[in-house]
Amino acid sequence: MPKGPVTSPRLQDVAEAAGVSIATASRSLSGATGVSAPVAERVRETARTMGYVVNLHARSLAGGSTRSVGLLVHEIGDPYFSEIASGVLGVGAREGLTVQICHTGRDPERELAQLRMLIANRVGAIIIAGSGMVDPALQAPAKVELQAFRRSGGRVAVIGRHHLGVDAVLPDNTEGARSVAQHLLDLGHRRIAVAAGSRQLTTVADRLSGVEEAFAAAGLDVGDVPVVEADFTRAGGKVAADEVLSAHPGVTAVLALNDDMAIGVLSALRARGVSVPGQVSVTGFDDVAVAGDLAPSLTTVRLPMSEMGEQALLLALKDPGARPRRRQVGAELVVRGSSGRPPS
Amino acid sequence: MPKGPVTSPRLQDVAEAAGVSIATASRSLSGATGVSAPVAERVRETARTMGYVVNLHARSLAGGSTRSVGLLVHEIGDPYFSEIASGVLGVGAREGLTVQICHTGRDPERELAQLRMLIANRVGAIIIAGSGMVDPALQAPAKVELQAFRRSGGRVAVIGRHHLGVDAVLPDNTEGARSVAQHLLDLGHRRIAVAAGSRQLTTVADRLSGVEEAFAAAGLDVGDVPVVEADFTRAGGKVAADEVLSAHPGVTAVLALNDDMAIGVLSALRARGVSVPGQVSVTGFDDVAVAGDLAPSLTTVRLPMSEMGEQALLLALKDPGARPRRRQVGAELVVRGSSGRPPS
DNA sequence: GTGAAAGCGCTAACAA
DNA sequence: TTGTTAGCGCTTTCAC
């Protein structure tokens, strides 16, 4: 952008003003050892009065190191990702790192383009948040890029299951889904519909398998359980709810595979005059901040998103291990007002 | 971070492999003119097969220009800011810019530190989102820093704050607040409490003045209207609601100055068994994505957050004008289920 | 159309 | 403790 006469003071200028060499000035300002205290202080003072700000591009070019990380999310406006981002920004600030955030829009091509951009920016670490794809082929180009990045010294961590062969923070999607399904079964529900996102998403696949596990253990025929696939969003939840109501009118509970869909389901049920949980129970997954403030408040599975973001960055910052590390994080059932006994 | 032997191919390597000079290679890859088509294509092909990725630090050092922008938000986990960020990331991606996001936590000191970091990163533009402080002294250091940044060619735009003397996207807080207050008056409410954030925030001050304007026009004594000051958050909304119920039991409507507080108010009222809008009406401000999905759905004032983010970046990207530009954005009343006539 | 060479602002040997 | 100097990887005159 700036193309004109950009004129910020350089280290050179500070050094001259302070009457020292550029090397001494550099050492003073970067807090390195080997400078006498009074000299260092004088340099810092001159820099301050001149409004000098180090040029990090020059620093990282010369020093070879970077103090920045990249974060790839599907959509920052989505609470799931914004809470993860919050965690990442938090430790980033603590560690003095700058964080570059990019949208992928769940599109492998855009993901790849943004990945390249981050690599071009020579970030020290890349965090990828959000579900992977069940089909490894879709992520193959990204994998190639990432491995080259790691070979050249970059660190990578992902949140959620991926076929990327890197450090990962893994929420226990299967167990979480099993527990919320079990919760509905315990309440006495037998006619349960699942509102799911695309089965191409590993998150959906994992959660679905947890649900099926619980159903199977309860002696239900998994084949009989309607699984409605729609967008993994609020709008998708509405679509799914409408389909459930029209195609499976006897259903007494809708188990949505994320909170966003659950909110859409609640909204669609309200619009149709179906009482929750009186006629139909609804559950979600993730426990986004607003889940507890909905009416009825949403029964869901809590994932510590912010903490997952923190963990991912911390993992990436660690010395690289010989093989990929995994940080399992718990998924805890949170029972609130949207689930109850089925109508008798 | 990476300190070890980082070895990505350099432009030099590509040039050698393609059998051209480094200058020609540079021109070919940056899409500059003055290279024959076949040569350019050959260079690009070699670069591709070698996995070459330009080093943007080197590029901006040499070229003096940057393709990155900084975005300062109070807290990315807050939907208000995450929706703004979404807009910024959107045009950023379209324009091929990287976006660095920082938290300020509404703390002038952290804001200043993050600002310095962005400047050190030599971003081309800085976007600051979120309310400013009524007291200009609190922002004085930031203002100094920003002006130096602009003098050295940087662009700046703010969202929803004044006093900084830069391009600004300004939601019409006063008019929006006036219209929602008028809405409550039209419904017949006379005993209205306001749930406000700190009056130190310009956003709060502006919205408050709109509310008072409406009240005064209706012949109400503004001094009689209880204004409860609390955190400008969900938790603050709960606190405010509790205080309203205990100190001003006759109130028939709570006008919250943002949706976050309104959600807290709704939650507190529900906990106390107060029906909305039967006994008490509640209104918000911002229209965050979830506002329409609450129960009752929230009457509020819509701000086009995502669009505000887009506008701000577009403004910053424009050629700098002689004097600060302002993009006024409308604040539109959205009547939903949380407001109704006062109990008779 | 292509190449040689001079920096961009800084860090990090190496000398003194 | 301080200074000198050689790059980091790239863009961009200026010659050819």
Side-chain angles (χ1 to χ4, degrees):
Chain A
M1 252 151 296
K3 294 288 301 183
V6 180
T7 43
S8 324
R10 296 157 305 153
L11 185 55
Q12 178 81 266
D13 304 326
V14 176
E16 280 169 13
V20 298
S21 78
I22 185 176
T24 301
S26 170
R27 288 189 272 253
S28 307
L29 293 174
S30 62
T33 176
V35 196
S36 69
V39 172
E41 186 42 49
R42 178 157 48 95
V43 173
R44 278 194 286 265
E45 180 53 29
T46 341
R48 206 171 304 131
T49 63
M50 296 178 71
Y52 170 78
V53 183
V54 65
N55 184 327
L56 291 178
H57 293 308
R59 173 175 284 179
S60 70
L61 230 204
S65 73
T66 314
R67 300 294 298 166
S68 76
V69 312
L71 171 64
L72 245 42
V73 300
H74 290 330
E75 163 61 54
I76 194 69
D78 179 330
Y80 178 76
F81 294 107
S82 67
E83 290 179 35
I84 287 178
S86 180
V88 173
L89 288 190
V91 327
R94 264 210 317 276
E95 306 280 333
L97 303 167
T98 55
V99 180
Q100 304 182 23
I101 303 187
C102 307
H103 275 175
T104 66
R106 284 219 167 81
D107 171 354
E109 267 187 51
R110 268 174 67 192
E111 176 169 310
L112 193 59
Q114 301 288 20
L115 205 51
R116 292 224 173 89
M117 172 153 254
L118 290 175
I119 293 173
N121 271 288
R122 294 300 189 269
V123 295
I126 294 178
I127 314 282
I128 303 179
S131 180
M133 299 300 203
V134 172
D135 179 1
L138 286 172
Q139 302 193 143
K143 185 167 184 172
V144 170
E145 211 76 30
L146 280 176
Q147 287 184 336
F149 175 67
R150 293 176 64 206
R151 244 177 282 118
S152 72
R155 314 262 213 273
V156 181
V158 298
I159 298 174
R161 177 158 70 91
H162 286 259
H163 306 283
L164 256 26
V166 297
D167 289 351
V169 173
L170 299 170
D172 198 341
N173 284 317
T174 305
E175 172 54 24
R178 203 202 50 71
S179 70
V180 69
Q182 187 61 52
H183 165 69
L184 289 174
L185 292 167
D186 289 346
L187 284 170
H189 294 275
R190 284 301 175 271
R191 313 191 63 174
I192 303 174
V194 177
S198 162
R199 288 172 195 261
Q200 264 303 314
L201 301 172
T202 56
T203 301
V204 171
D206 292 348
R207 292 180 183 178
L208 220 37
S209 81
V211 170
E212 289 171 351
E213 198 177 294
F215 287 173
L220 262 67
D221 186 341
V222 172
D224 287 350
V225 176
V227 175
V228 181
E229 232 175 295
D231 276 356
F232 211 27
T233 62
R234 200 162 309 185
K238 291 184 187 178
V239 171
D242 286 341
E243 164 140 7
V244 167
L245 289 183
S246 55
H248 311 279
V251 156
T252 63
V254 178
L255 190 160
L257 293 189
N258 73 6
D259 283 355
D260 229 23
M261 287 196 92
I263 292 174
V265 170
L266 284 176
S267 164
L269 293 181
R270 193 180 320 128
R272 300 262 209 133
V274 178
S275 82
V276 177
Q279 294 171 267
V280 174
S281 288
V282 176
T283 63
F285 203 117
D286 288 345
D287 196 25
V288 298
V290 81
D293 291 316
L294 298 168
S297 55
L298 187 65
T299 293
T300 186
V301 176
R302 170 170 307 150
L303 252 35
M305 275 93 72
S306 173
E307 194 187 309
M308 284 158 59
E310 294 173 10
Q311 288 296 326
L313 181 47
L314 292 174
L315 213 47
L317 256 31
K318 271 199 151 74
D319 286 333
R323 22 187 234 90
R325 282 164 297 210
R326 331 213 132 226
R327 286 263 182 294
Q328 200 84 27
V329 307
E332 179 199 359
L333 178 67
V334 180
V335 177
R336 296 206 185 92
S338 66
S339 59
R341 305 200 150 279
S344 44
Chain B
M1 255 150 296
K3 295 285 303 183
V6 179
T7 43
S8 324
R10 294 156 307 151
L11 184 55
Q12 177 82 267
D13 305 326
V14 176
E16 279 169 12
V20 298
S21 77
I22 185 176
T24 300
S26 170
R27 287 190 269 255
S28 307
L29 293 174
S30 62
T33 177
V35 194
S36 70
V39 172
E41 186 42 51
R42 178 157 46 93
V43 173
R44 277 193 286 266
E45 181 53 28
T46 344
R48 207 171 303 131
T49 63
M50 296 178 71
Y52 170 78
V53 183
V54 65
N55 183 329
L56 291 178
H57 293 308
R59 172 175 286 180
S60 68
L61 229 205
S65 72
T66 315
R67 299 295 297 166
S68 76
V69 311
L71 170 64
L72 245 41
V73 300
H74 291 328
E75 163 61 54
I76 193 71
D78 179 331
Y80 178 76
F81 294 108
S82 68
E83 289 180 34
I84 287 179
S86 179
V88 173
L89 288 189
V91 326
R94 263 209 319 274
E95 306 280 333
L97 303 167
T98 56
V99 180
Q100 303 183 21
I101 303 187
C102 309
H103 275 176
T104 65
R106 283 218 168 81
D107 171 355
E109 266 186 53
R110 269 174 66 190
E111 176 169 308
L112 193 60
Q114 301 288 18
L115 204 51
R116 293 227 173 87
M117 172 154 254
L118 290 176
I119 294 173
N121 269 290
R122 293 300 188 272
V123 295
I126 294 177
I127 314 281
I128 304 179
S131 180
M133 299 301 200
V134 172
D135 179 1
L138 285 171
Q139 300 192 147
K143 187 167 183 174
V144 170
E145 211 75 33
L146 281 177
Q147 288 183 336
F149 175 67
R150 293 177 63 205
R151 245 177 283 118
S152 73
R155 313 263 212 273
V156 181
V158 298
I159 298 174
R161 66 162 75 181
H162 0 262
H163 299 323
L164 249 30
V166 297
D167 289 351
V169 174
L170 297 171
D172 198 341
N173 284 317
T174 305
E175 173 54 22
R178 203 201 53 70
S179 71
V180 70
Q182 187 62 50
H183 165 68
L184 289 175
L185 291 168
D186 289 346
L187 284 171
H189 293 275
R190 285 301 175 270
R191 313 191 62 173
I192 304 174
V194 177
S198 162
R199 289 173 195 260
Q200 266 302 313
L201 299 172
T202 56
T203 302
V204 170
D206 293 347
R207 292 180 184 177
L208 221 36
S209 82
V211 170
E212 288 172 352
E213 198 177 293
F215 287 175
L220 261 67
D221 186 341
V222 171
D224 287 351
V225 176
V227 175
V228 181
E229 233 176 295
D231 276 356
F232 211 27
T233 61
R234 202 162 307 186
K238 292 184 188 180
V239 171
D242 285 341
E243 164 140 6
V244 166
L245 289 184
S246 55
H248 312 278
V251 157
T252 62
V254 178
L255 191 161
L257 292 189
N258 73 5
D259 283 355
D260 230 22
M261 287 197 91
I263 293 174
V265 170
L266 284 176
S267 164
L269 293 181
R270 192 181 319 127
R272 298 261 210 135
V274 178
S275 82
V276 176
Q279 295 170 263
V280 174
S281 288
V282 176
T283 63
F285 203 117
D286 289 343
D287 197 25
V288 298
V290 81
D293 291 317
L294 298 169
S297 56
L298 187 64
T299 292
T300 186
V301 176
R302 170 172 306 150
L303 253 35
M305 274 92 73
S306 173
E307 195 187 307
M308 284 157 59
E310 294 175 10
Q311 287 296 327
L313 181 46
L314 292 174
L315 213 47
L317 256 31
K318 269 199 152 71
D319 286 332
R323 17 186 238 93
R325 282 163 298 210
R326 330 210 133 227
R327 286 263 182 295
Q328 199 84 29
V329 306
E332 179 198 358
L333 178 67
V334 180
V335 177
R336 296 207 185 91
S338 66
S339 58
R341 305 202 150 278
S344 43

